[in-house]
Amino acid sequence: MLADVGAIALLLAFAAAVYAVGAAVVGARGGPRDALWTASARNALIAVWPLLTVSCGAMLWLLLAGDFQIEYVASVPSRAMPAYLKAAALWGGQAGSLLFWAWVAGTFSALVMLRKWDADRPLLPYVIAISAVTELFFIGLVIFVETPFSKLGFVPADGSGLNPLLRHPGMIIHPPTLYLGYVGFTVPYAFGMAALISGRLSDEWIRASRRWALIAWLFLSLGLVLGGRWAYDVLGWGGYWAWDPVENAALLPWLTGTAFLHSIIIQEKRGMLKAWNMVLITLTYGLVILGTFLTRSGIISSVHAFARSAIGPLFFGLIAVMSVFSIRWLLLRRDSLRAEHRLDAILSRETAFLLNNLLFLTITASVLVGTLFPLITELVAGEKITLRVGWYNQVVGPQLAALVLLMGMCPLLSWRRASARRLGRAFWLPFLLSVLLVALLALRGLRSAGALAGLGMSAFVGLTTLLEFWYGARARRRSKGENYLVALNQVIVRNRRRYGGLMVHLAVVLMAIGIAGSYFLQQETQATVRRGETLSLGGFTLLYEGLSERRESDELVISEATVSVYRDQQLVTVLRPRRDFYPLSGQPVTIPAVRSTVSEDFYVILVGWEQMGEDQATFKVYLNPLINWLWAGSVLFVVGTLVAAWPDRRARPALVSAYRPSAVIARRTSSA
Amino acid sequence: MSGHRVPYAPATGCSPAGQGSVARREAPALSTLSVRLLAGCLVLLLLVLSWLVPLVSADGGPTQDEVNAVARKLFCPVCENTPLDVCPTEACQQWREVIRSQLAEGRSEAEILDYFAHLYGDSVLAEPPPRQWAAWLLPVLIVVAGTSALAYWLRRWARPVAVSVEETRAESIPESDPYLERLERELAEWDR
């Protein structure tokens, strides 16, 4: 019954989206009465959201109530799972995750429809049409291909249960965050295409969609970090990033999206790179669809690709149609996309931005080649060769380092023409200090060249960025006489975009420190110890105290070791690494125990044990220096992005209270 | 020294064909290949059997760290993308045993990696070997192509051109436009 409600709501949502596309196309003709069609299309697209909400709500209810006659409910959750996991099962399987995806997309579309459209109304019909087509694709998948509401001919006693690796609170937050990030990029893409088709190619579309892109980007970043943290906490291999195909699938649109967020600044400031920005947003949207395709089709096997099905060709079709469509319009409009200005000097911020774009794109292409390498080799040589972490680290690592270094220089270069002398003045202090730091670390016994280079570079970039804040605050203090704290706050509040961006840069520096430390300085050891025996690593000593085994439920047996951790003969902490075993699926999940401080993590994994003869256990222990800087950096990352995206409530319109006619000034004011 | 024994039928020894390794490289004469495979199967079978007897090498054989140092450079084809030194499955424990016994026989790391790559294909290696030259060439091509494209555009854009439309329009506004003056004033006010 409830399942029928959900299915009918889906059909209605599909119909509404079809109508929205049709009405928007009519509305786009731009005649006097066509505005009514546009308004009607807008209402239809808004109506899709409550319909999808009913459908998702019905599925949620079925999952929580455990109505196992529904095929999807029988295939994902099980009775013994806690309620939060039953709810999270909505995105734990193929059909449900597509339904949830459609709902997230519907939410974004409805919110976009409800924004103020006064100034850029001519873009509206196109934005409606493109958002609605994306919606249609996903709703169509859920209705015709992967049907979440289809029923079994019998009622199973219990569901088969979620993959044990996914039974974690991270399941509640990580997938939805990623979905929000993924789907959110539909909005700037729709605006970009609307600008292309309508021929309104000023920065109107960028101003209208910049904040949406920033929010999508924020969620995508957050999703990536949460995934890393989840892997670190649960997967038990001492790391946070494995270059898994699905991790890559989420990283790819993040890379092009980041390039986009940077390169639109050039368009706004200098009227350059108009066509390039269109390419970047199209690429980002395409990679979002490709990512969904890679995850959902199981074409490249991965931990995440929990389902394999025939939806692959449909996704491929969408990507193909979208590419042809975008490229066609790009070519048609190429004359209007010419740059308004030329490059005045090679040494300028424009060039730095272009270098930034180059690096983001080469990293994207490298990761894409790596991810698709099994497919490429299968086509060319008939054998699937999977590229692993060693390849990625060597190929992408240096490019990322170059990007971080560039990040430190870019804000110091002025627009149009930068002078080498000024640059030298801005650089000497950070450079000197970071060289000193490297020398100090080397004197204190740090011998890893990679770590020295990484930390020295991070220090240099961090200092140049901090100096920007300092210069800003000092200038304001001089002109206004405020104290430094007030001045700093005023500087940030009055130019949120710039200083929010710089905060994100600082966050990246913190993350780079964490990555360099944990990558180059990681120590590990593994040994089997009897009860009462010890194991040492990097100044820490681990004492095995014993092991207990308990049956948590029919579905879960937990084996937990107790170890005391000493440093300089002092007890620091007691840790309980464990192994969860799920008899039904026969799958073990290793849960590490971690003692975490600012300087390092002491990370213990229970590898195996033997209790029949002697009581002994095998532990693998990692020392991950500086890894918490990575997580701290992620928090600052979010804060910085929010600062940059926060709406500015100062009364900007006052600027142009009396002036209308000049095109130049209209341009300036509309940017307010 | 073991967790739960998983009733697992992985392609650890006897079904490498399932891993697509038969067709690899210059297709060595099938007979040598199958002899090699057979030998591999036998070695593995023996090891699997020996594994069932509890074994702790307290006799000064290779340490677990030495085994892991090799294992971390390998991925078993069954467990998706989990390095061999940390993978908890039974299949991977058996692989580690193979590494241990080969180390005990005095084989070098390179020889052991080669042994696994031979049996299961280059996908088991954390880092592709030189014979997978395409994997190393492609990123170089990408960077070279990207850099050349950027250099080309920089040269094109840096060339001075006639005054653009935008600037012409800006110049056509008379110098003494009171509104423009007011705007400049307000903007100046604003920037403070």
Side-chain angles (χ1 to χ4, degrees), chain A residues 69-88:
Chain A
Q69 198 190 355
I70 310 299
E71 196 180 344
Y72 184 74
V73 181
S75 68
V76 184
S78 63
R79 286 187 196 284
M81 274 167 37
Y84 80 89
L85 280 179
K86 284 182 186 162

Side-chain angles (χ1 to χ4, degrees), chain B:
Chain B
M1 197 190 69
S2 110
H4 298 272
R5 295 196 188 283
V6 184
Y8 207 165
T12 22
C14 298
S15 58
Q19 305 310 318
S21 62
V22 172
R24 60 185 306 281
R25 281 188 288 145
E26 306 91 311
L30 199 66
S31 53
T32 32
L33 188 72
S34 31
V35 167
R36 229 181 252 151
L37 284 180
L38 196 65
C41 282
L42 279 175
V43 170
L44 276 176
L45 192 67
L46 280 175
L47 282 162
V48 169
L49 287 176
S50 70
W51 174 248
L52 296 175
V53 185
L55 47 80
V56 185
S57 63
D59 47 14
T63 66
Q64 297 184 20
D65 282 343
E66 284 162 354
V67 173
N68 280 339
V70 180
R72 69 182 309 172
K73 297 188 171 137
L74 286 167
F75 287 78
C76 95
V78 186
C79 318
E80 297 303 349
N81 219 12
T82 314
L84 187 61
D85 61 330
V86 283
C87 191
T89 59
E90 200 75 0
C92 288
Q93 283 187 3
Q94 290 162 13
W95 275 45
R96 288 196 289 269
E97 277 315 310
V98 176
I99 296 173
R100 180 197 302 284
S101 68
Q102 298 203 351
L103 280 174
E105 286 165 21
R107 292 215 209 176
S108 72
E109 178 183 298
E111 285 169 344
I112 300 175
L113 295 183
D114 208 43
Y115 165 83
F116 280 105
H118 238 91
L119 273 180
Y120 302 103
D122 288 340
S123 289
V124 299
L125 299 173
E127 196 177 287
R131 59 178 169 268
Q132 295 294 340
W133 49 270
W136 297 110
L137 184 65
L138 280 171
V140 175
L141 286 181
I142 288 168
V143 172
V144 169
T147 316
S148 335
L150 180 66
Y152 172 78
W153 282 109
L154 278 179
R155 283 184 60 155
R156 269 195 63 163
W157 283 340
R159 230 179 289 152
V161 285
V163 187
S164 73
V165 184
E166 204 60 35
E167 279 160 306
T168 331
R169 212 189 297 155
E171 276 157 17
S172 67
I173 297 171
E175 281 292 317
S176 60
D177 186 332
Y179 291 114
L180 198 58
E181 277 166 20
R182 169 157 182 214
L183 181 69
E184 289 301 337
R185 210 168 51 236
E186 287 186 1
L187 273 174
E189 187 83 0
W190 192 254
D191 283 340
R192 274 211 315 220

Side-chain angles (χ1 to χ4, degrees), chain A residues 365-537:
Chain A
S366 307
V367 175
L368 191 63
V369 161
T371 312
L372 298 180
F373 203 69
L375 290 186
I376 301 171
T377 46
E378 190 173 33
L379 281 176
V380 177
E383 183 192 8
K384 272 193 181 185
I385 302 291
T386 310
L387 294 176
R388 309 284 190 176
V389 56
W391 181 85
Y392 284 102
N393 286 345
Q394 287 182 48
V395 168
V396 181
Q399 298 186 58
L400 280 177
L403 198 57
V404 172
L405 201 58
L406 181 68
M407 191 182 82
M409 317 224 239
C410 189
L412 303 184
L413 292 161
S414 36
W415 290 106
R416 307 191 69 170
R417 192 181 297 273
S419 84
R421 263 189 60 197
R422 266 201 55 199
L423 207 61
R425 243 185 317 183
F427 278 159
W428 73 266
L429 186 63
F431 185 74
L432 202 70
L433 287 175
S434 43
V435 168
L436 272 178
L437 177 82
V438 169
L440 200 72
L441 288 172
L443 277 179
R444 290 198 54 188
L446 187 66
R447 284 288 168 271
S448 152
L452 286 175
L455 294 177
M457 201 181 72
S458 304
F460 172 71
V461 176
L463 286 168
T464 57
T465 316
L466 279 174
L467 275 179
E468 284 293 290
F469 285 91
W470 161 253
Y471 291 142
R474 195 181 57 178
R476 195 168 165 91
R477 184 185 132 89
R478 279 188 187 154
S479 66
K480 294 272 179 180
E482 295 161 346
N483 73 40
Y484 278 113
L485 271 181
V486 176
L488 181 66
N489 182 43
Q490 282 299 317
V491 162
I492 295 173
V493 168
R494 288 185 163 252
N495 200 345
R496 287 212 175 92
R497 277 182 71 172
R498 176 173 165 79
Y499 287 95
L502 286 174
M503 281 163 92
V504 173
H505 284 188
L506 270 185
V508 172
V509 169
L510 293 184
M511 295 166 92
I513 292 173
I515 292 169
S518 59
Y519 179 70
F520 290 110
L521 302 177
Q522 187 181 54
Q523 298 179 48
E524 60 166 278
T525 188
Q526 178 178 331
T528 305
V529 285
R530 289 192 203 92
R531 185 186 230 162
E533 283 185 345
T534 60
L535 164 72
S536 296
L537 177 72

Side-chain angles (χ1 to χ4, degrees), chain A residues 18-102:
Chain A
V18 171
Y19 173 77
V21 176
V25 169
V26 176
R29 289 184 313 194
R33 297 194 51 195
D34 293 334
L36 283 175
W37 281 104
T38 305
S40 173
R42 177 183 176 185
N43 291 337
L45 191 54
I46 294 174
V48 169
W49 182 76
L51 290 167
L52 286 177
T53 307
V54 167
S55 192
C56 263
M59 181 42 85
L60 208 55
W61 186 269
L62 293 169
L63 286 166
L64 286 169
D67 187 343
F68 296 115
Q69 198 190 355
I70 310 299
E71 196 180 344
Y72 184 74
V73 181
S75 68
V76 184
S78 63
R79 286 187 196 284
M81 274 167 37
Y84 80 89
L85 280 179
K86 284 182 186 162
L90 177 59
W91 48 80
Q94 176 92 296
S97 67
L98 289 171
L99 174 64
F100 181 65
W101 183 288

